[in-house]
């Protein structure tokens, strides 16, 4: 099982500190699945085939998972209520036509609710393979939730040339609020839920979203629950090699890591600080410290350094590369056959301060 977990820890994963999370609450939380394409004709890195998707939905149904709307998960976390065991929410990013053609009929067959995060401009400009507003309204009539994925699927954390921090934040704020209003006008829905494009965010974005009452989601693994930050909720990406049901089953049963405190939760690294030290304080009631193992993306498994009975540190041995990376940590539950899963994302520009082009 350790070999499986080390392989799984190479997935895109995040989690951050919920400052007011009550200690000793159940940590089953909810597993939020993130999809893009459901097709066998689209890039494998962002796709599951219809056959794989049906197999995954059948597994949820046959094993009596509690599949609920994403808004219900959010409400429970906001109210700091424990979610039922085996709770799952299903989400899709971007709004591709394959969701309406291939995924929606399967979801309807099983009676599963779901959420689509859509960017406005790709729909307005009829980008290839994107659903129209009329098609999205049809899904709304069937019970789907439509939420915010920014105006044009931008890298929200990146400033334009010559832009001050104040100008950048005002631009992004307008972007998100304008997109939210347009989605409301077109669909009649206003969930105030944002999926960060590319899973990229920083502490300034989080503070701005919190001010406007938004909940936000990354593109990272881990169960969401009372110990999660409501402006950086984790999801499990399901695509390519990560769509295999054998490993996906482990993730579907994962637990919300009981993180009480971190020394930092801002993913964006400051210039030259390419080997960040992360210190994490846990509720250790159901965790054996000897069984917690971490993973530095691109550098392999790394044992944590325990600073006290409930605080550990993890630090890369080499500089993290430019772009998106993460530290992942998992630990088996002492009382259940499931794994706690924690991750901290990092965003690093090039040495000259410029971001990689994507």
């Amino acid at each position: 099982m350790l070999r499986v977990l080390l392989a799984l820890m190479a997935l895109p994963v995040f989690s951050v500190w919920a400052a007011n999370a009550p200690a000793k609450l159940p940590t089953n939380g909810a597993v939020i699945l993130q999809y893009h394409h459901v097709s066998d004709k689209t890039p494998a890195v962002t796709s599951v085939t219809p056959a794989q998707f049906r197999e995954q939905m059948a597994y949820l149904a046959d094993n009596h998972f509690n599949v609920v709307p994403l808004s219900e998960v959010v409400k429970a976390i906001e109210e700091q209520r424990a979610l039922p065991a085996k709770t799952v929410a299903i989400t899709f990013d971007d709004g591709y036509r394959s969701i309406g053609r291939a995924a929606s009929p399967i979801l309807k067959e099983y009676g599963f609710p779901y959420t689509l995060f859509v960017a406005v401009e790709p729909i307005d400009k009829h980008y290839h393979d994107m659903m129209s507003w009329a098609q999205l309204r049809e899904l709304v009539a069937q019970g789907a939730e439509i939420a915010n994925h920014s105006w044009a699927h931008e890298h929200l954390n990146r400033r334009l040339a010559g832009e001050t921090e104040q100008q950048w934040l005002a631009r992004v704020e307008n972007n998100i609020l304008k997109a939210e209003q347009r989605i409301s006008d077109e669909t009649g829905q206003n969930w105030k839920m944002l999926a960060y494009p590319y899973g990229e965010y920083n502490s300034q974005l989080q503070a701005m979203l919190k001010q406007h009452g938004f909940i936000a989601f990354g593109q990272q693994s881990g169960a969401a629950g009372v110990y999660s930050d409501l402006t950086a909720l984790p999801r499990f990406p399901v695509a390519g090699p990560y769509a295999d049901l054998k490993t996906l089953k482990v993730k579907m049963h994962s637990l919300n890591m009981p993180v009480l405190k971190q020394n930092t939760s801002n993913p964006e690294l400051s210039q030259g600080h390419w080997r960040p030290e992360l210190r994490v304080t846990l509720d250790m009631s159901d965790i054996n410290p000897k069984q917690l193992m971490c993973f530095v993306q691109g550098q392999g498994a790394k044992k944590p350094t325990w600073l006290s009975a409930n605080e550990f540190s993890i630090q890369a041995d080499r500089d993290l590369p430019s772009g998106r990376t993460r530290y992942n940590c998992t630990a088996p539950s002492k009382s259940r056959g499931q794994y706690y899963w924690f991750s901290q994302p990092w965003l690093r520009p090039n040495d000259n301060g410029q971001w990689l082009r994507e």
Side-chain angles (χ1 to χ4, degrees):
M1 181 60 75
L2 176 59
R3 185 175 299 173
V4 172
L5 259 293
L6 290 177
L8 289 173
M9 284 159 58
L11 304 176
V13 211
F14 308 61
S15 180
V16 286
W17 172 34
N20 298 316
K24 301 187 185 302
L25 272 182
T27 49
N28 42 284
V31 168
I32 305 171
L33 301 177
Q34 180 215 5
Y35 296 90
H36 286 86
H37 300 277
V38 179
S39 172
D40 52 14
K41 298 178 181 179
T42 48
V45 68
T46 54
S47 303
V48 296
T49 67
Q52 286 175 316
F53 188 73
R54 176 174 288 281
E55 180 187 37
Q56 293 159 10
M57 297 304 103
Y59 179 81
L60 294 176
D62 293 345
N63 290 275
H64 310 291
F65 277 78
N66 177 44
V67 182
V68 300
L70 185 62
S71 59
E72 187 173 318
V73 171
V74 167
K75 185 176 181 181
I77 297 173
E78 286 179 318
E79 297 174 354
Q80 298 190 336
R81 287 189 285 109
L83 288 153
K86 297 166 70 173
T87 293
V88 166
I90 299 166
T91 70
F92 301 89
D93 284 7
D94 303 328
Y96 292 107
R97 288 177 190 165
S98 67
I99 307 310
R101 292 172 178 170
S104 179
I106 297 171
L107 292 162
K108 186 177 181 180
E109 179 182 333
Y110 286 104
F112 289 164
Y114 58 99
T115 299
L116 287 86
F117 289 101
V118 300
V120 172
E121 186 174 276
I123 300 172
D124 284 348
K125 292 188 175 182
H126 309 290
Y127 284 8
H128 177 68
D129 212 25
M130 301 300 298
M131 280 189 280
S132 66
W133 289 115
Q135 289 169 322
L136 289 170
R137 285 191 288 270
E138 290 178 10
L139 298 185
V140 168
Q142 297 172 20
E145 296 178 344
I146 310 299
N148 198 331
H149 203 31
S150 81
W151 184 263
H153 204 280
E154 301 93 341
H155 295 270
L156 296 178
N157 65 304
R158 302 185 187 184
R159 299 185 198 177
L160 301 178
E163 196 172 42
T164 67
E165 181 175 336
Q166 184 177 8
Q167 290 169 334
W168 157 74
L169 195 57
R171 174 175 57 82
V172 174
E173 180 180 37
N174 179 66
N175 177 313
I176 292 167
L177 296 179
K178 184 172 67 168
E180 187 72 16
Q181 184 60 56
R182 183 62 185 283
I183 291 167
S184 177
D185 291 343
E186 293 286 353
T187 69
Q189 297 191 346
N190 181 215
W191 295 108
K192 282 197 168 183
M193 297 190 297
L194 172 78
Y196 296 112
Y198 311 100
E200 296 178 351
Y201 65 95
N202 58 30
S203 57
Q204 297 101 311
L205 278 172
Q206 291 179 274
M208 181 270 288
L209 290 168
K210 184 176 181 180
Q211 180 182 355
H212 286 286
F214 274 82
I215 306 301
F217 301 81
Q219 294 186 11
Q220 74 274 2
S221 307
V226 296
Y227 294 97
S228 302
D229 189 320
L230 282 163
T231 57
L233 290 172
R235 297 184 291 168
F236 279 105
V238 187
Y242 308 133
D244 180 74
L245 187 58
K246 183 182 296 186
T247 54
L248 188 58
K249 289 177 185 178
V250 178
K251 294 177 277 188
M252 287 175 172
H253 289 275
S254 63
L255 301 170
N256 184 211
M257 184 74 87
V259 176
L260 301 177
K261 186 179 179 181
Q262 292 179 225
N263 66 320
T264 181
S265 60
N266 184 7
E268 194 165 287
L269 297 175
S270 56
Q271 189 67 30
H273 294 272
W274 307 147
R275 303 183 191 185
E277 181 194 17
L278 180 67
R279 299 192 300 275
V280 181
T281 302
L282 300 177
D283 175 355
M284 299 295 292
S285 302
D286 193 39
I287 295 174
N288 182 338
K290 294 181 180 179
Q291 293 182 300
L292 189 140
M293 178 60 73
C294 296
F295 181 97
V296 176
Q297 186 180 10
Q299 299 183 29
K302 187 175 177 66
K303 291 184 177 180
T305 299
W306 285 95
L307 307 176
S308 70
N310 66 342
E311 183 185 18
F312 71 88
S313 71
I314 178 81
Q315 186 171 21
D317 294 323
R318 304 187 302 275
D319 288 356
L320 298 179
S322 301
R324 297 184 291 269
T325 52
R326 63 206 61 87
Y327 294 169
N328 304 335
C329 299
T330 63
S333 162
K334 292 193 296 186
S335 61
R336 293 177 275 181
Q338 297 165 270
Y339 277 82
Y340 294 100
W341 200 309
F342 164 82
S343 178
Q344 170 62 38
W346 305 113
L347 299 174
R348 201 210 113 164
N350 294 325
D351 288 334
N352 63 5
Q354 299 298 308
W355 293 98
L356 292 172
R357 291 185 178 273
E358 293 188 34

